[in-house]
Amino acid sequence: MTHRLRFRTGRGLVLLCALLGTLCETGSGQIRYSVPEELEKGSFVGNIAKDLGLEPQELAERGVRIVSRGRTQLFSLNPGSGSLVTAGRIDREELCAQRAQCLVKFNILVEDKLKIFEVEVEIKDINDNAPNFLTEELKVKIGELTIPGTRFPLKTAFDPDVGMNSLQNYHLSPNDYFSLAVNSVSDGATYPELVLERTLDREKKEVHRLDLIASDGGDPIRSSNLCLQVIVLDANDNPPLFTQPEYHVSVQENVPVGTRLVTVNATDPDEGFNAQVTYILDKMPGKIAQLFNLDSVTGDIAILKSLDYEDSMFYEIKIEAQDGPGLLSRAKILVTVLDVNDNAPEITVTSLTGSVPEEDTAGREIALINVHDRDSGQNGQVTVFVLGNLPFNLEKSIDQYYRLVTAESLDREQVSEYNITLRATDGGNPPLSTETHITLHVTDINDNSPAFSESSYSAYIPENNPRGASIFSVAAQDPDSDNNAQITYSVTENTHQGAPLSSYITINSNTGVLYALCSFDYEEFRDLQILVTANDSGNPPLSTSVSMSLFILDQNDNMPKILYPTLPTDGSAGVELAPRSAEPGYLVTKVVAVDRDSGQNAWLSYHLLKASEPGLFTVGLHTGEVHTARALLDRDALKQSLLVAVQDHGQPPLSATVTLTIAVADRIPDVLADLGSVRTPTNPDDSDLTLYLVVAVAVVSCVFLAFIIMLLGLRLRRWHTSRLIQAASSRLAGTPASHFVGMDGDVHTFWKTYSHEVSLTADSRKSHFIYPQPNYADTLISQESCEKSEPLLVSQDLLAPKRDPKLLEVSYFSF
């Protein structure tokens, strides 16, 4: 009950101390608090928000958090009040043992600014522990011959508190034989000794029972009792003595378990049982009894468990040497643990930014890291660096913190993701190192325009294509990502032959496929010039344009068109004239045709399909010229019909036909006389055509005769001249006027002009009819067809040869 009451009273003092906690802020972002131990969870430590210059609600908004390394979190942040509070019960003795000052250090991170503040909290001791003897009873054996003033060392009490709260005094219960002496040593520790005041008499009293009271200086004072049982023995007046009061040993932390550190030795000048020395390890609280073993007979100190320099670098082992009767002496073994490089550096990523935009300026913070090595000295000196040739630097912050920043602007199109390896290496021999990996994504900005694979494109499409036919597909690449790489295609609006370009073609904005909106005709136009634009979806969007030439390919969709001879539309007919005197190879006429197509589709060839007189005429394969194949005979019919086909070289080939009618005669009257009988009763159209032809020839003859009569009237004064003219006119009546007689009076494209010169002389019996070469208005007629015909020589005896030889010219023209 007494201990419980004191504890509660101590709790009240703890709360009072908590309210009176002090705060001081030092330079370099260091904040210091003090707080008593044993506070309840959530107890106030300090107003951290105020000391950071923040409002309480900003703690969560700005990512303020505690960063500690490798230990249980003792404190936490109260985001409501902005206070630093305890995260649980804090036991100073457990945390710092008996160190005079117990300091807990940790860091406060303001994450949005990547600032670190060092916080130091001093844990104040309270009197929550009473001095304690590790045993409840101690037997002390004293020889009866022991002289007064002899001192007997007693067991010491242990108080884990520090300062005035630690062990301060020893008291001995009142008695007649003993008193208490307290000795202090150099390190401030006190050891109680039982002092014999009077000679003992075993026969009077064999056992003396005393109480040794240990008390501290706290408020209230705490104490504990040790029951002393003094047994009076026969004379043994010499305790064992160690060869030295302190033993110093240095050992590396990696020595194997079972290694002997040192052997202690104590001697007793007594003899027999009184001189038998036993070594005892003073069982002080802590890990000493778990780490070290003392052989009670040999005095060998050995290691029970592995040593760790990082846990403790120094151990103080207290030992006793006791003889048979119970006299003892004490000594210390001071063990210094030497550090070896057995701990690799530790890398802790305190704060991390997972992505950074490309083309950002150098010095952009990526991560805040902390490095630490539990070793000491050179073994704990850590250097950290970035592996590989990467565009990142490490900048020193406070303490062992480093900032990972960019060394230059990043380009996502070159590297979109970085795997950053940080390596920390200590200065041990051999050195130990640790690596950690950070993945950094480079976010995209729209800094690249779409790019076509070609600087220009050419596409081809056959004419007469169906509407909606696919023409060509263009594709552009954008090295950006996401929306910045989504490309849409469009065609720049323009006009062609007065019509908008959009009426001819369209483009799929997503795929870049061009489609025809109409059926193209090669004969209308042969190419289109198009400008295709690729736009990305960035902000702002970027675009690139490329030119495209769309060529229309010709198809064989037009049949040959015959220009000569023209097909009559009014029912009239045309006849070609071939004189019977024509020799083989004589050019009778020429079939002229054109084809609107081009290339091979417009290459024409001429073929004679049918002839009324086979073998009489031939048709030039490429010229279309109709020649006589042999000399004309009298038995050959006057009217010859030829069916001529004109065919192109397309696939499939197209053709047209025309029927030629050739009259075989030497003189026009023969033609007129014979044409009257050339009829086909079964075809009324042919009869009408013959009638028109006869009428036309008659009219031409009448005009010719009228002209001759006019000339004869001018020569009436001369009789013999008149007779000569009359004789000549009778002969001219049978001479053909032209090689072509058009009954309808229209020869359309190909006009012929015939000039007949009649030369009559008075001193010659021969007259000349000269048929000059007809003039053609079309240049498609070959040179062969333009050769001059042989002049027609007419022999005649003139009636008046003695008259003045004057030349009479008679010219007429027919169309």
Side-chain angles (χ1 to χ4, degrees):
M1 292 295 293
T2 301
H3 292 291
R4 183 174 299 174
L5 179 60
R6 289 181 178 176
F7 183 77
R8 290 178 178 173
T9 305
R11 290 285 184 177
L13 291 175
V14 168
L15 295 177
L16 179 61
C17 292
L19 296 176
L20 298 178
T22 59
L23 162 69
C24 63
E25 179 174 346
T26 63
S28 302
Q30 187 181 63
I31 302 172
R32 178 174 294 176
Y33 299 99
S34 65
V35 62
E37 64 173 330
E38 299 295 340
L39 288 179
E40 295 291 338
K41 179 180 180 180
S43 298
F44 175 83
V45 177
N47 191 343
I48 192 67
K50 178 180 178 181
D51 298 329
L52 293 176
L54 304 175
E55 294 297 327
Q57 62 272 15
E58 291 183 293
L59 293 182
E61 297 173 356
R62 303 184 69 170
V64 179
R65 59 189 174 92
I66 296 176
V67 181
S68 61
R69 179 181 68 247
R71 63 169 58 186
T72 304
Q73 187 63 262
L74 301 178
F75 301 96
S76 63
L77 297 177
N78 188 330
S81 63
S83 301
L84 181 67
V85 298
T86 58
R89 187 183 70 86
I90 302 175
D91 188 351
R92 182 191 184 284
E93 288 71 32
E94 180 182 354
L95 187 63
C96 297
Q98 288 187 293
R99 286 203 297 266
Q101 189 178 30
C102 183
L103 298 178
V104 177
K105 296 183 180 180
F106 57 91
N107 297 315
I108 296 291
L109 170 65
V110 182
E111 190 160 11
D112 64 336
K113 290 187 176 181
L114 292 182
K115 287 188 176 181
I116 289 290
F117 294 86
E118 183 177 351
V119 178
E120 186 178 272
V121 179
E122 181 181 6
I123 309 301
K124 296 289 188 178
D125 183 51
I126 64 172
N127 193 22
D128 59 339
N129 294 284
N132 184 32
F133 293 98
L134 298 181
T135 182
E136 296 181 356
E137 185 178 356
L138 176 63
K139 292 180 180 182
V140 178
K141 298 178 182 181
I142 303 176
E144 61 180 348
L145 297 181
T146 303
I147 62 175
T150 303
R151 298 190 178 200
F152 300 93
L154 302 178
K155 294 290 186 181
T156 58
F158 177 76
D159 191 341
D161 295 330
V162 296
M164 291 300 298
N165 295 326
S166 65
L167 177 65
Q168 298 295 324
N169 297 306
Y170 290 96
H171 301 280
L172 189 65
S173 61
N175 64 90
D176 296 332
Y177 292 91
F178 301 94
S179 63
L180 185 65
V182 178
N183 294 327
S184 299
V185 293
S186 59
D187 58 356
T190 58
Y191 296 95
E193 293 181 343
L194 186 65
V195 180
L196 180 62
E197 297 292 338
R198 296 173 58 184
T199 303
L200 298 176
D201 189 356
R202 182 178 176 278
E203 286 72 21
K204 288 182 179 182
K205 191 174 183 178
E206 183 177 359
V207 175
H208 297 267
R209 298 188 181 275
L210 306 173
D211 287 330
L212 178 62
I213 302 169
S215 60
D216 59 23
D219 185 15
I221 298 174
R222 296 177 180 273
S223 63
S224 62
N225 296 340
L226 174 63
C227 183
L228 298 177
Q229 186 178 358
V230 179
I231 302 174
V232 181
L233 301 175
D234 286 336
N236 179 29
D237 54 352
N238 292 293
L241 295 176
F242 286 98
T243 56
Q244 57 190 57
E246 292 182 355
Y247 295 87
H248 295 270
V249 178
S250 296
V251 59
Q252 290 187 338
E253 62 176 326
N254 60 348
V255 295
V257 175
T259 301
R260 183 176 61 87
L261 299 181
V262 67
T263 300
V264 297
N265 184 33
T267 59
D268 193 322
D270 294 328
E271 294 180 355
F273 178 75
N274 295 330
Q276 293 181 2
V277 179
T278 302
Y279 300 98
I280 303 171
L281 183 65
D282 192 358
K283 297 186 180 300
M284 299 299 291
K287 299 181 180 179
I288 292 179
Q290 302 175 6
L291 292 175
F292 302 98
N293 178 61
L294 174 60
D295 191 303
S296 61
V297 177
T298 63
D300 292 338
I301 296 290
I303 297 175
L304 291 178
K305 290 185 178 179
S306 298
L307 302 179
D308 192 347
Y309 175 88
E310 288 68 39
D311 288 344
S312 179
M313 65 182 69
F314 179 79
Y315 293 96
E316 181 179 329
I317 307 172
K318 297 178 181 180
I319 59 175
E320 298 175 350
Q322 183 176 339
D323 59 17
L327 294 181
L328 58 85
S329 62
R330 292 185 178 87
K332 291 181 181 179
I333 301 176
L334 304 178
V335 180
T336 302
V337 181
L338 302 179
D339 183 39
V340 297
N341 193 26
D342 60 342
N343 292 282
E346 300 174 1
I347 302 177
T348 303
V349 180
T350 306
S351 180
L352 175 63
T353 300
S355 62
V356 62
E358 64 175 331
E359 297 189 0
D360 204 353
T361 57
R364 174 67 180 265
E365 294 88 352
I366 297 172
L368 181 67
I369 64 171
N370 175 264
V371 294
H372 174 71
D373 195 316
R374 297 180 63 195
D375 295 323
S376 63
Q378 189 67 24
N379 297 331
Q381 297 295 323
V382 181
T383 57
V384 60
F385 51 91
V386 180
L387 288 183
N389 188 20
L390 297 180
F392 302 101
N393 291 330
L394 282 171
E395 295 180 355
K396 186 74 163 56
S397 184
I398 65 171
D399 199 10
Q400 290 297 314
Y401 285 90
Y402 294 85
R403 293 188 309 133
L404 179 64
V405 299
T406 57
E408 59 186 37
S409 297
L410 305 181
D411 189 350
R412 192 204 67 84
E413 286 69 44
Q414 294 183 359
V415 181
S416 62
E417 179 181 291
Y418 288 92
N419 290 318
I420 306 171
T421 300
L422 303 179
R423 175 179 291 175
T425 304
D426 62 23
N429 187 16
L432 301 178
S433 61
T434 301
E435 293 182 358
T436 188
H437 304 279
I438 296 175
T439 300
L440 178 66
H441 299 277
V442 182
T443 58
D444 185 48
I445 64 173
N446 193 26
D447 57 343
N448 291 279
S449 301
F452 290 94
S453 58
E454 303 290 341
S455 59
S456 62
Y457 292 91
S458 297
Y460 302 87
I461 183 172
E463 64 174 331
N464 304 322
N465 58 282
R467 290 181 175 87
S470 173
I471 301 175
F472 192 73
S473 176
V474 296
Q477 302 294 328
D478 195 319
D480 294 324
S481 64
D482 299 330
N483 289 338
N484 297 330
Q486 292 182 0
I487 299 176
T488 57
Y489 301 90
S490 61
V491 175
T492 302
E493 189 58 54
N494 202 347
T495 58
H496 182 79
Q497 295 185 352
L501 194 61
S502 58
S503 63
Y504 293 100
I505 60 169
T506 187
I507 189 170
N508 188 309
S509 61
N510 295 323
T511 63
V513 177
L514 283 93
Y515 298 94
L517 296 179
C518 63
S519 181
F520 295 112
D521 189 351
Y522 176 84
E523 286 70 39
E524 291 185 6
F525 58 87
R526 300 186 178 185
D527 63 86
L528 279 175
Q529 298 300 321
I530 306 167
L531 190 65
V532 179
T533 301
N535 293 273
D536 60 25
S537 301
N539 187 15
L542 301 178
S543 63
T544 302
S545 298
V546 66
S547 61
M548 171 181 287
S549 298
L550 177 61
F551 297 98
I552 314 301
L553 300 179
D554 183 41
Q555 298 292 303
N556 194 25
D557 57 343
N558 293 281
M559 66 175 56
K561 180 178 180 181
I562 298 176
L563 300 179
Y564 181 82
T566 57
L567 298 177
T569 58
D570 55 359
S572 61
V575 178
E576 299 292 339
L577 184 63
R580 288 189 177 275
S581 60
E583 296 181 356
Y586 176 80
L587 176 62
V588 179
T589 185
K590 180 177 182 178
V591 178
V592 179
V594 294
D595 195 316
R596 294 184 62 195
D597 295 325
S598 66
Q600 183 173 325
N601 297 327
W603 296 351
L604 302 181
S605 59
Y606 301 85
H607 306 276
L608 180 60
L609 299 182
K610 184 179 179 182
S612 57
E613 187 70 33
L616 182 57
F617 298 96
T618 60
V619 176
L621 179 63
H622 301 294
T623 61
E625 295 177 348
V626 180
H627 295 268
T628 57
R630 58 177 176 80
L632 299 177
L633 304 176
D634 293 338
R635 66 173 182 272
D636 293 330
L638 173 65
K639 177 184 176 182
Q640 298 290 333
S641 294
L642 304 179
L643 181 60
V644 178
V646 182
Q647 179 176 295
D648 60 27
H649 287 71
Q651 292 296 330
L654 301 178
S655 61
T657 59
V658 62
T659 302
L660 301 177
T661 301
I662 300 176
V664 180
D666 288 329
R667 296 178 301 174
I668 293 178
D670 296 339
V671 175
L672 295 178
D674 293 340
L675 285 179
S677 61
V678 178
R679 300 178 184 274
T680 306
T682 59
N683 191 341
D685 293 338
D686 293 343
S687 300
D688 294 340
L689 181 61
T690 303
L691 177 61
Y692 295 150
L693 181 61
V694 171
V695 172
V697 172
V699 170
V700 171
S701 299
C702 291
V703 173
F704 176 73
L705 291 175
F707 182 71
I708 295 301
I709 292 173
M710 289 177 59
L711 293 177
L712 291 176
L714 296 176
R715 302 298 183 186
L716 289 177
R717 290 178 302 173
R718 296 180 182 179
W719 172 250
H720 68 279
T721 305
S722 177
R723 292 174 56 191
L724 181 60
I725 291 174
Q726 291 178 358
S729 62
S730 62
R731 295 186 178 183
L732 288 174
T735 303
S738 68
H739 287 280
F740 171 73
V741 180
M743 301 307 295
D744 55 356
D746 185 9
V747 293
H748 301 284
T749 306
F750 296 89
W751 296 80
K752 295 181 181 180
T753 301
Y754 295 90
S755 176
H756 300 281
E757 295 182 2
V758 181
S759 299
L760 304 177
T761 59
D763 58 349
S764 175
R765 299 185 61 87
K766 294 183 178 180
S767 297
H768 294 271
F769 283 91
I770 301 175
Y771 298 92
Q773 174 63 30
N775 296 325
Y776 295 89
D778 196 289
T779 59
L780 294 176
I781 305 303
S782 62
Q783 183 178 359
E784 183 181 353
S785 61
C786 297
E787 296 176 355
K788 292 185 178 181
S789 303
E790 293 293 332
L792 177 62
L793 299 178
V794 179
S795 298
Q796 183 180 8
D797 294 335
L798 297 180
L799 298 177
K802 295 180 181 181
R803 301 294 181 106
D804 294 335
K806 291 182 179 180
L807 177 64
L808 175 63
E809 290 189 356
V810 180
S811 300
Y812 73 94
F813 302 89
S814 62
F815 297 91

